Amino acid sequence: MMKKYLYILPTVVMLCTSCGGSVEKNTNTAGSGDGLSGNIQLSGAFALYPMAVKWVEEFRKIHPAVKIDVSGGGAGKGMTDVLAGVVDIGMVSREIYAQELEKGALPIAAVKDAVVPTIHARNPERAIIDKTGLKREIAAKLWNWELKTWGEILGTSSLTPVHVYTRSDACGAGETFAAWFGKKQENLKATAVFGDPGVAAAVQKDRVAIGYNNIAYAYDKNTKRPYEELAVMPIDVNDNGVIDPEEDFYETSATLIKAIRENRYPSPPARDLYLVTKGKPVKPQVVAFLRYILGEGQQYVEESGYIGLSEDKLAAEADKLK
């Protein structure tokens, strides 16, 4: 049986992936043939990339004359591109900075997900890891080159070395994960790898590794279980040194998403994901696409491994487009 590794994804995500190819028109879908056309370009957060691709596929069944290009590259790239007018929508997986708002950034929260610490599934200390989890204060030391062995992480005598990974690109995942233990992404000291798929691939190849990934890059959206050779290290939310039953929800993406929805997983590293425009969008196709995402497109959120926003919040975000 062929193993399913996540490290095949960077080739797909790092290229500008056109979703404007031929799509059969669904004549049974309301709104088809309404004359909406034009181009839309999105770039940015790896966290939002899989969800954006799904939205594009479904939106184009209704509006096949609209051509949409989606590319990854990280939240920093998405924000830079949209403020520079290179793309219509920037995908951003962190909170928006005041200086970005001053430059005209209009953030529209579209969905929620989380960053999780990832390890190799066959880590030699796996049994203890699953019982004790990761404390906030330990994470702060880990991503500061202060801890060298898994024994130091777990409070045991183990001399098994630990290899720590972080993101090399400016990204919402790094910023959000660092915020969990009071740091910023630029403060994280570890081996730097480009992109969400890159970190996942590094951990998959290294039995003593620890990194962090967005849910979509830790769990297979079809099986709902972690990708081959990946596991999620539980977070010790109450810092008591033990993963209590109410903290043990990482077996599948479905159980993790349920815990996030119930606020049992800390925020950060759970957070809202944003679609950002420069000022209020005026292109009809861009407005229609954003309204679709905040409305009908929400039906695809959970099956894609994300967490939907409340009806009240979605309505408030839609009001920004008026």
Side-chain angles (χ1 to χ4, degrees), residues 1-311:
M1 180 181 296
M2 183 178 294
K3 290 186 175 181
K4 188 179 296 184
Y5 288 93
L6 189 59
Y7 56 73
I8 63 174
L9 290 178
T11 304
V12 178
V13 180
M14 289 167 61
L15 298 175
C16 183
T17 304
S18 175
C19 296
S22 175
V23 177
E24 288 296 321
K25 184 176 179 180
N26 184 350
T27 57
N28 295 321
T29 304
S32 61
D34 61 1
L36 190 67
S37 62
N39 300 311
I40 305 174
Q41 291 183 309
L42 299 87
S43 75
F46 287 101
L48 258 172
Y49 182 88
M51 187 73 256
V53 169
K54 178 62 176 178
W55 280 328
V56 168
E57 290 173 351
E58 298 302 327
F59 181 79
R60 292 199 69 252
K61 291 177 183 178
I62 307 171
H63 305 289
V66 178
K67 311 301 181 185
I68 309 178
D69 290 332
V70 187
S71 62
K77 183 180 188 308
M79 182 61 78
T80 298
D81 285 352
V82 73
L83 291 181
V86 176
V87 299
D88 300 293
I89 301 171
M91 301 181 291
V92 179
S93 52
R94 57 163 171 76
E95 293 303 312
I96 312 303
Y97 305 145
Q99 58 267 36
E100 294 167 342
L101 296 172
E102 291 171 0
K103 293 178 181 178
L106 176 66
I108 299 170
V111 74
K112 186 173 184 176
D113 85 335
V115 185
V116 292
T118 47
I119 60 172
H120 195 285
R122 291 183 290 117
N123 184 299
E125 309 297 331
R126 177 72 188 277
I128 301 175
I129 289 171
D130 288 346
K131 290 180 180 179
T132 63
L134 180 64
K135 288 185 176 182
R136 188 191 322 239
E137 63 180 284
I138 294 297
K141 292 179 179 180
L142 258 180
W143 274 271
N144 195 41
W145 291 128
E146 293 182 43
L147 306 180
K148 303 299 181 184
T149 69
W150 277 96
E152 292 176 292
I153 298 169
L154 303 171
T156 69
S157 59
S158 172
L159 298 179
T160 301
V162 59
H163 298 160
V164 188
Y165 292 90
T166 188
R167 292 274 292 273
S168 62
D169 51 310
C171 65
E175 191 69 18
T176 303
F177 190 67
W180 170 51
F181 45 86
K183 302 288 185 180
K184 293 185 177 295
Q185 183 187 353
E186 57 263 33
N187 302 137
L188 301 183
K189 298 177 182 178
T191 301
V193 181
F194 179 80
D196 225 329
V199 172
V203 175
Q204 283 174 313
K205 297 173 185 176
D206 187 344
R207 289 184 64 186
V208 297
I210 184 168
Y212 54 83
N213 288 100
N214 294 296
I215 293 173
Y217 296 89
Y219 291 88
D220 185 318
K221 72 174 184 179
N222 296 315
T223 66
K224 310 297 183 186
R225 296 185 178 278
Y227 281 99
E228 292 285 349
E229 305 293 16
L230 273 185
V232 176
M233 184 171 183
I235 287 181
D236 182 10
V237 179
N238 61 14
D239 285 329
N240 69 347
V242 177
I243 297 301
D244 299 311
E246 60 271 21
E247 297 172 318
D248 187 10
F249 40 69
Y250 299 91
E251 184 176 358
T252 68
S253 58
T255 54
L256 173 57
I257 287 170
K258 184 175 185 291
I260 295 169
R261 189 178 291 115
E262 295 172 351
N263 296 316
R264 289 186 286 130
Y265 188 81
S267 180
R271 84 300 202 188
D272 290 344
L273 305 180
Y274 296 92
L275 298 171
V276 179
T277 60
K278 187 176 183 181
K280 188 178 297 186
V282 295
K283 290 182 180 180
Q285 67 272 28
V286 174
V287 175
F289 183 51
L290 291 171
R291 287 196 178 281
Y292 171 83
I293 287 170
L294 296 172
E296 185 179 346
Q298 291 292 306
Q299 67 183 294
Y300 305 108
V301 167
E302 188 162 338
E303 71 179 56
S304 300
Y306 295 78
I307 303 96
L309 304 178
S310 69
E311 291 297 325

